[in-house]
Amino acid sequence: SFRQMINSILVSSISSNRTVFVSDAIPDWVLPGYHRLPEFLLYRVSKDKSVRILPFRPELSYARDSSLPGDRRINWFMRFYPDMLSRMGLSYCSLGQLRWGVRYLWWSADFVNYRPEYSEPLLFYLATAGRDDEASMVLERVDSLYHGTPAMEKLLRKLGR
Protein backbone atom coordinates (compact mmCIF):
# COMPACT_ATOMS: atom_id res chain seq x y z
CA SER A 1 0.00 0.00 0.00
CA PHE A 2 0.96 3.64 -0.32
CA ARG A 3 1.41 4.03 3.44
CA GLN A 4 3.76 1.05 3.65
CA MET A 5 5.82 2.39 0.77
CA ILE A 6 6.20 5.85 2.37
CA ASN A 7 7.10 4.37 5.75
CA SER A 8 9.55 1.93 4.16
CA ILE A 9 11.39 4.76 2.39
CA LEU A 10 11.60 6.84 5.57
CA VAL A 11 12.67 3.93 7.80
CA SER A 12 15.36 3.08 5.27
CA SER A 13 16.63 6.67 5.42
CA ILE A 14 16.67 6.68 9.23
CA SER A 15 18.41 3.27 9.29
CA SER A 16 21.08 4.71 6.98
CA ASN A 17 21.72 7.50 9.53
CA ARG A 18 20.06 10.14 7.38
CA THR A 19 18.11 12.79 9.21
CA VAL A 20 14.42 12.82 8.39
CA PHE A 21 12.26 15.86 9.03
CA VAL A 22 8.48 16.16 8.84
CA SER A 23 6.07 19.06 9.23
CA ASP A 24 2.82 19.45 11.13
CA ALA A 25 1.00 18.49 7.94
CA ILE A 26 2.38 14.93 7.93
CA PRO A 27 -0.28 12.53 9.27
CA ASP A 28 0.25 10.30 12.30
CA TRP A 29 0.30 7.15 10.19
CA VAL A 30 3.71 8.23 8.89
CA LEU A 31 6.38 6.55 11.02
CA PRO A 32 4.24 5.37 13.92
CA GLY A 33 6.36 4.57 16.96
CA TYR A 34 8.92 7.23 16.13
CA HIS A 35 9.31 10.50 18.03
CA ARG A 36 8.84 13.88 16.42
CA LEU A 37 11.24 16.32 18.06
CA PRO A 38 10.82 19.99 17.15
CA GLU A 39 13.78 21.57 15.41
CA PHE A 40 12.91 25.04 14.25
CA LEU A 41 9.92 24.91 11.87
CA LEU A 42 10.01 21.14 11.35
CA TYR A 43 10.21 17.99 13.45
CA ARG A 44 13.20 15.67 13.38
CA VAL A 45 12.06 12.05 13.39
CA SER A 46 13.93 9.79 15.78
CA LYS A 47 13.59 6.28 17.17
CA ASP A 48 14.61 7.59 20.59
CA LYS A 49 14.20 10.93 22.30
CA SER A 50 17.82 11.96 21.84
CA VAL A 51 18.32 15.64 22.44
CA ARG A 52 20.18 17.78 19.94
CA ILE A 53 20.72 21.16 21.53
CA LEU A 54 20.43 23.83 18.89
CA PRO A 55 22.10 26.96 20.28
CA PHE A 56 20.06 29.49 18.38
CA ARG A 57 19.29 33.10 19.15
CA PRO A 58 16.36 34.27 17.08
CA GLU A 59 16.69 37.68 15.55
CA LEU A 60 13.66 39.27 17.13
CA SER A 61 14.50 42.90 16.42
CA TYR A 62 14.19 42.34 12.67
CA ALA A 63 10.74 40.85 13.07
CA ARG A 64 9.57 43.85 15.07
CA ASP A 65 11.14 46.62 12.98
CA SER A 66 8.20 48.31 11.28
CA SER A 67 10.54 50.62 9.34
CA LEU A 68 11.75 47.72 7.22
CA PRO A 69 9.96 47.21 3.93
CA GLY A 70 7.18 44.69 4.24
CA ASP A 71 7.77 41.44 2.48
CA ARG A 72 4.82 39.09 2.49
CA ARG A 73 7.09 36.03 2.53
CA ILE A 74 8.93 37.27 5.61
CA ASN A 75 5.69 38.28 7.29
CA TRP A 76 4.22 34.84 6.53
CA PHE A 77 7.29 33.09 7.92
CA MET A 78 7.53 35.23 11.06
CA ARG A 79 4.05 34.30 12.24
CA PHE A 80 5.37 30.79 12.90
CA TYR A 81 8.26 31.99 15.09
CA PRO A 82 6.57 32.11 18.51
CA ASP A 83 5.05 28.66 18.16
CA MET A 84 8.31 27.24 16.85
CA LEU A 85 10.26 28.66 19.78
CA SER A 86 7.63 27.51 22.26
CA ARG A 87 7.54 23.96 20.84
CA MET A 88 11.31 23.69 21.04
CA GLY A 89 11.32 25.05 24.59
CA LEU A 90 8.63 22.64 25.76
CA SER A 91 10.41 19.74 24.08
CA TYR A 92 13.75 20.57 25.72
CA CYS A 93 12.06 20.95 29.11
CA SER A 94 10.21 17.65 28.78
CA LEU A 95 13.50 15.94 27.93
CA GLY A 96 15.20 17.38 31.03
CA GLN A 97 17.09 20.18 29.31
CA LEU A 98 15.64 23.00 31.44
CA ARG A 99 18.45 25.45 30.72
CA TRP A 100 17.78 25.45 26.97
CA GLY A 101 14.06 24.85 27.32
CA VAL A 102 13.54 27.92 29.48
CA ARG A 103 15.71 29.95 27.11
CA TYR A 104 13.51 29.04 24.12
CA LEU A 105 10.32 29.67 26.12
CA TRP A 106 11.68 33.08 27.11
CA TRP A 107 12.41 33.93 23.48
CA SER A 108 8.91 32.84 22.50
CA ALA A 109 7.26 35.01 25.17
CA ASP A 110 9.49 37.95 24.29
CA PHE A 111 8.70 37.61 20.58
CA VAL A 112 4.97 38.17 21.22
CA ASN A 113 5.49 40.85 23.87
CA TYR A 114 4.77 38.45 26.75
CA ARG A 115 1.22 37.53 25.73
CA PRO A 116 -0.20 35.47 28.61
CA GLU A 117 -0.70 32.28 26.60
CA TYR A 118 3.00 32.30 25.61
CA SER A 119 4.20 33.33 29.06
CA GLU A 120 2.41 30.53 30.92
CA PRO A 121 4.86 27.72 30.03
CA LEU A 122 7.78 30.04 30.76
CA LEU A 123 6.38 30.80 34.21
CA PHE A 124 5.79 27.11 34.90
CA TYR A 125 9.31 26.03 33.97
CA LEU A 126 10.98 28.96 35.70
CA ALA A 127 9.20 27.86 38.88
CA THR A 128 10.13 24.21 38.18
CA ALA A 129 13.78 25.25 37.89
CA GLY A 130 13.56 27.17 41.19
CA ARG A 131 14.01 30.52 39.45
CA ASP A 132 11.24 32.20 41.44
CA ASP A 133 12.66 35.73 41.18
CA GLU A 134 12.67 35.52 37.40
CA ALA A 135 9.16 34.02 37.39
CA SER A 136 7.93 36.92 39.52
CA MET A 137 9.58 39.40 37.18
CA VAL A 138 7.93 37.80 34.12
CA LEU A 139 4.54 37.70 35.83
CA GLU A 140 4.82 41.41 36.73
CA ARG A 141 5.73 42.22 33.12
CA VAL A 142 2.80 40.21 31.75
CA ASP A 143 0.40 41.77 34.23
CA SER A 144 1.62 45.29 33.44
CA LEU A 145 0.88 44.69 29.75
CA TYR A 146 -2.34 42.67 29.97
CA HIS A 147 -3.91 43.55 33.32
CA GLY A 148 -7.67 42.96 33.31
CA THR A 149 -7.78 41.14 29.97
CA PRO A 150 -9.52 37.76 29.72
CA ALA A 151 -6.20 36.10 28.80
CA MET A 152 -4.54 37.55 31.90
CA GLU A 153 -7.43 36.53 34.14
CA LYS A 154 -7.20 32.99 32.75
CA LEU A 155 -3.46 32.89 33.40
CA LEU A 156 -3.91 34.11 36.99
CA ARG A 157 -6.57 31.43 37.60
CA LYS A 158 -4.22 28.73 36.29
CA LEU A 159 -1.52 30.03 38.60
CA GLY A 160 -3.94 29.95 41.54
CA ARG A 161 -3.92 33.72 42.09
Side-chain angles (χ1 to χ4, degrees), residues 62-81:
Y62 175 78
R64 291 193 188 123
D65 188 348
S66 60
S67 69
L68 294 172
D71 181 314
R72 63 184 169 84
R73 292 168 297 186
I74 292 172
N75 293 336
W76 177 87
F77 176 78
M78 288 308 208
R79 67 190 176 108
F80 296 103
Y81 246 59

Side-chain angles (χ1 to χ4, degrees), residues 10-11 19-21 31 34 38 42-43 54 57 65 67 69 83 93-94 98 100 107-108 114 117 139 145 154-155:
L10 295 174
V11 167
T19 304
V20 172
F21 291 95
L31 295 171
Y34 284 76
L42 298 172
Y43 294 88
L54 302 169
R57 174 62 170 113
D65 188 348
S67 69
D83 289 332
C93 286
S94 72
L98 283 178
W100 279 100
W107 290 334
S108 175
Y114 294 91
E117 63 272 24
L139 185 57
L145 294 167
K154 181 179 177 183
L155 175 60

Side-chain angles (χ1 to χ4, degrees), residues 22-144:
V22 296
S23 74
D24 285 337
I26 302 300
D28 291 338
W29 59 259
V30 174
L31 295 171
Y34 284 76
H35 301 282
R36 295 178 184 203
L37 304 166
E39 290 193 5
F40 303 113
L41 292 174
L42 298 172
Y43 294 88
R44 178 175 50 88
V45 179
S46 176
K47 194 69 174 156
D48 59 19
K49 287 188 174 182
S50 58
V51 177
R52 283 194 335 190
I53 300 297
L54 302 169
F56 165 70
R57 174 62 170 113
E59 183 46 57
L60 303 179
S61 60
Y62 175 78
R64 291 193 188 123
D65 188 348
S66 60
S67 69
L68 294 172
D71 181 314
R72 63 184 169 84
R73 292 168 297 186
I74 292 172
N75 293 336
W76 177 87
F77 176 78
M78 288 308 208
R79 67 190 176 108
F80 296 103
Y81 246 59
D83 289 332
M84 171 194 75
L85 296 168
S86 185
R87 275 196 313 263
M88 289 181 69
L90 290 169
S91 177
Y92 283 148
C93 286
S94 72
L95 296 171
Q97 298 293 324
L98 283 178
R99 177 176 160 246
W100 279 100
V102 166
R103 186 173 292 175
Y104 274 86
L105 290 172
W106 205 300
W107 290 334
S108 175
D110 184 46
F111 190 85
V112 292
N113 201 25
Y114 294 91
R115 285 195 340 232
E117 63 272 24
Y118 285 91
S119 298
E120 180 184 342
L122 172 61
L123 289 165
F124 174 79
Y125 281 107
L126 283 172
T128 299
R131 295 164 62 176
D132 297 332
D133 290 344
E134 291 171 279
S136 293
M137 182 183 70
V138 169
L139 185 57
E140 287 175 21
R141 170 96 171 130
V142 175
D143 192 40
S144 73

